[in-house]
């Protein structure tokens, strides 16, 4: 996966002290502005991300990211009327290495997956941004 600069970046390292703990983070006003520009919407009022990472018990070396996002998005304003949407979505992503992804294709094909490499780092903010985008445009 190529890492480009993300408007809402929250890079974490997958290690034992992170597991089974709930984390909460919010996008700053600068990040909200950058995300609105990226998704070409009028304004994003907030983006709250709650997440938990657990070991995926049926696949050795894999993790489960269980997350939820809350956001209020103003898609556009026409003749003074705002087209707004409230987003409150939960999603699960399996975090794996490329080798695990290749070797566990059958077990993983029902899941969204995110690949991590030997540095064991993932960007939960960027994953949340991608889900936010899906919610806005679905």
């Amino acid at each position: 996966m190529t890492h480009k600069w993300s408007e809402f970046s929250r890079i974490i390292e997958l290690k034992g002290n992170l597991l089974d703990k709930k984390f909460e983070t919010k996008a700053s006003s600068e990040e909200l502005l950058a995300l609105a520009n990226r998704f070409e919407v009028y304004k994003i009022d907030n983006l709250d991300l709650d997440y938990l990472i657990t070991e995926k018990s049926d696949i050795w070396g894999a993790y489960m990211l269980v997350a939820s996002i809350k956001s209020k998005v103003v898609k556009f304003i026409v003749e003074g009327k705002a087209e707004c949407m409230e987003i409150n979505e939960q999603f699960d992503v399996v975090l794996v290495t490329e080798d695990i992804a290749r070797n566990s294709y059958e077990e993983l094909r029902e899941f969204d997956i995110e690949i991590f490499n030997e540095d064991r780092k993932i960007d939960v903010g960027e994953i949340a941004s991608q889900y936010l985008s899906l919610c806005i445009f679905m």
Side-chain angles (χ1 to χ4, degrees):
M1 182 169 96
T2 55
H3 284 280
K4 62 184 188 333
W5 183 78
S6 173
E7 297 82 359
F8 177 57
S9 184
R10 298 293 185 275
I11 296 172
I12 60 166
E13 187 176 346
L14 296 168
K15 53 187 183 192
N17 67 345
L18 270 186
L19 299 181
D20 303 315
K21 288 186 190 149
K22 193 164 184 182
F23 292 92
E24 297 175 11
T25 185
K26 294 178 183 303
S28 70
S29 50
E30 293 84 11
E31 290 167 329
L32 294 169
L33 194 59
L35 284 167
N37 286 335
R38 172 177 168 182
F39 301 141
E40 298 177 351
V41 296
Y42 182 78
K43 186 169 129 190
I44 300 175
D45 286 339
N46 65 297
L47 174 55
D48 303 345
L49 167 64
D50 296 348
Y51 66 93
L52 172 80
I53 296 175
T54 60
E55 289 183 349
K56 186 157 172 35
S57 55
D58 58 334
I59 302 175
W60 188 86
Y63 299 91
M64 198 75 192
L65 168 65
V66 180
S68 66
I69 54 172
K70 289 187 176 92
S71 183
K72 182 176 179 197
V73 178
V74 181
K75 288 179 87 169
F76 51 84
I77 295 181
V78 176
E79 296 175 6
K81 282 190 67 102
E83 172 68 33
C84 299
M85 60 189 308
E86 295 278 342
I87 295 167
N88 187 353
E89 280 295 316
Q90 292 191 302
F91 57 91
D92 300 339
V93 179
V94 179
L95 310 171
V96 292
T97 63
E98 278 187 40
D99 283 346
I100 294 171
R102 267 196 295 278
N103 297 330
S104 304
Y105 174 77
E106 275 305 307
E107 297 93 323
L108 291 170
R109 67 191 166 95
E110 300 292 316
F111 292 97
D112 288 344
I113 66 167
E114 186 76 20
I115 304 290
F116 63 87
N117 53 17
E118 60 281 345
D119 70 1
R120 303 183 61 78
K121 290 186 175 145
I122 59 154
D123 191 341
V124 292
E126 177 55 28
I127 295 169
S129 299
Q130 291 171 14
Y131 274 89
L132 177 64
S133 171
L134 288 173
C135 292
I136 292 171
F137 298 108
M138 290 309 264

